Amino acid sequence: MTLLSVRDLAVRLGGRLILDGVDLRVEPGEIVTIVGPNGSGKSTLLRAILGAVPHLRGEVRLRPGLGIGYVPQSLAIDPTLPMTAARFLSLPRRVAPEAAAEALARAGVAGLGAVQLGALSGGQMQRVLLARALIGAPGLLILDEPTAGLDQPGTAAFYRQIEAVRAATGAAVLMVSHELHVVMAASDRVVCLNGHVCCEGRPEQVASAPEYRALFGTGTGGALALYRHDHDHDHDHAHDHAHPHHHGHDHPHAHADADGGRG
C-alpha cells in the first residue's frame, strides 16, 4: 500500500504561489529524492506533507498508522547547553536507554550517548538527529537537506548510512538534496521540482534525458550537472525516458532548446 500520496497540491505563502499542481507518491521501502533550484519549493513541499503549512488546493494522504521520522537541515543548539546526545533523544518524551542506544547505533554513532551536544561535530550532530528520527521505528523518514554544511566525505558517509537504515529497517525515505552526484547512487527515484514536478524517474533516466543534457551538458553524462541544482527553467521537462508531468495551465511547457531554458 502506498505510504504517501500527494495530489494536485498548491501552496501559497506570502502572497506567492510556491507550489502548483504537485503530484508525488512514496511506496514502501523506496528512497525518493526531490531536487530542484533554490526557491523551487522543495522544503515547502516537505512542510506541507508534515502539516506545517496549509495548502491552497489538493490533498496529502498518508497510510493509516504511518509513523514519520523527520531530519531537519540543522538544529541551532547553544553549545553551552549541558545536554548529552542520549538526553536529547528523550525530548519531549522519555526514551528508554536501550532504545536510545539502539537508535544511535542504527544511525552510525554508537557510543556517543554520553557526549555533550556542544562537543559533537556537524556530521555527528546530523547522525544524532537521524537517530532521533528513528525512535519509534517509523515507516517513512523525511529529510530536508540533511547534509547541508557537511564536507564531501561526510555527505557520502551520511547517505551510505541512510541506505543502511533502509536496508535494516525497511523504512522508506523521502529527502531533499543538493548533493546530486551522491543521490544518483542512493535513490530509487528522483523528482525534479520547480514549483511543479518537471519530471521524475530513475536517476539514470532523468540524467540521460535529452532535454537535461541540453540544459546541463554532457561532460559528466548529465549527472553531476543535473545535481549541481543550478538550473533556472520555468517549465522545462524531460520526457521519453523520465516521466514528464503535465499541468492544467493555459500555457505550454517549454522544452530545452538552444537557449538552454528560460530564466
Side-chain angles (χ1 to χ4, degrees), residues 164-233:
V165 166
R166 190 265 296 266
T169 67
V173 178
L174 175 63
M175 61 182 172
V176 165
S177 177
H178 280 87
E179 306 295 338
L180 303 186
H181 57 291
V182 178
V183 172
M184 188 64 69
S187 301
D188 298 313
R189 280 192 297 121
V190 173
V191 177
C192 187
L193 186 73
N194 195 8
H196 62 277
V197 175
C198 305
C199 78
E200 68 174 297
R202 295 195 304 273
E204 64 273 17
Q205 291 176 323
V206 173
S208 65
E211 292 83 357
Y212 277 105
R213 288 185 178 276
L215 284 171
F216 307 114
T218 59
T220 59
L224 292 179
L226 169 63
Y227 280 91
R228 277 160 53 190
H229 230 201
D230 56 3
H231 56 302
D232 60 358
H233 66 287

Side-chain angles (χ1 to χ4, degrees), residues 215-260:
L215 284 171
F216 307 114
T218 59
T220 59
L224 292 179
L226 169 63
Y227 280 91
R228 277 160 53 190
H229 230 201
D230 56 3
H231 56 302
D232 60 358
H233 66 287
D234 286 335
H235 288 268
D236 301 311
H237 61 280
H239 55 135
D240 294 334
H241 299 285
H243 300 293
H245 283 246
H246 303 284
H247 313 277
H249 300 248
D250 293 331
H251 55 280
H253 295 279
H255 293 262
D257 53 27
D259 294 329

Side-chain angles (χ1 to χ4, degrees), residues 34-253:
I34 302 169
V35 302
N38 291 331
S40 61
K42 302 180 300 296
S43 294
T44 298
L45 176 56
L46 296 189
R47 293 171 63 201
I49 290 171
L50 293 168
V53 296
H55 47 272
L56 184 68
R57 187 185 70 246
E59 63 179 10
V60 175
R61 289 189 176 182
L62 299 173
R63 188 183 71 184
L66 177 67
I68 296 178
Y70 175 66
V71 180
Q73 289 185 25
S74 61
L75 193 64
I77 295 178
D78 185 341
T80 65
L81 183 68
M83 181 178 294
T84 65
R87 171 60 180 155
F88 174 71
L89 295 188
S90 283
L91 297 177
R93 291 183 296 274
R94 183 181 181 279
V95 173
E98 298 80 10
E102 180 181 356
L104 289 168
R106 188 79 73 191
V109 284
L112 288 187
V115 177
Q116 294 290 321
L117 293 183
L120 298 176
S121 68
Q124 289 173 330
M125 187 64 206
Q126 287 306 104
R127 300 292 187 99
V128 170
L129 290 174
L130 175 59
R132 190 169 187 269
L134 291 171
I135 297 293
L140 174 62
L141 289 172
I142 294 181
L143 303 91
D144 188 1
E145 295 190 41
T147 59
L150 302 186
D151 60 17
Q152 189 170 3
T155 294
F158 186 89
Y159 285 121
R160 284 196 298 270
Q161 196 66 40
I162 292 297
E163 291 184 280
V165 166
R166 190 265 296 266
T169 67
V173 178
L174 175 63
M175 61 182 172
V176 165
S177 177
H178 280 87
E179 306 295 338
L180 303 186
H181 57 291
V182 178
V183 172
M184 188 64 69
S187 301
D188 298 313
R189 280 192 297 121
V190 173
V191 177
C192 187
L193 186 73
N194 195 8
H196 62 277
V197 175
C198 305
C199 78
E200 68 174 297
R202 295 195 304 273
E204 64 273 17
Q205 291 176 323
V206 173
S208 65
E211 292 83 357
Y212 277 105
R213 288 185 178 276
L215 284 171
F216 307 114
T218 59
T220 59
L224 292 179
L226 169 63
Y227 280 91
R228 277 160 53 190
H229 230 201
D230 56 3
H231 56 302
D232 60 358
H233 66 287
D234 286 335
H235 288 268
D236 301 311
H237 61 280
H239 55 135
D240 294 334
H241 299 285
H243 300 293
H245 283 246
H246 303 284
H247 313 277
H249 300 248
D250 293 331
H251 55 280
H253 295 279

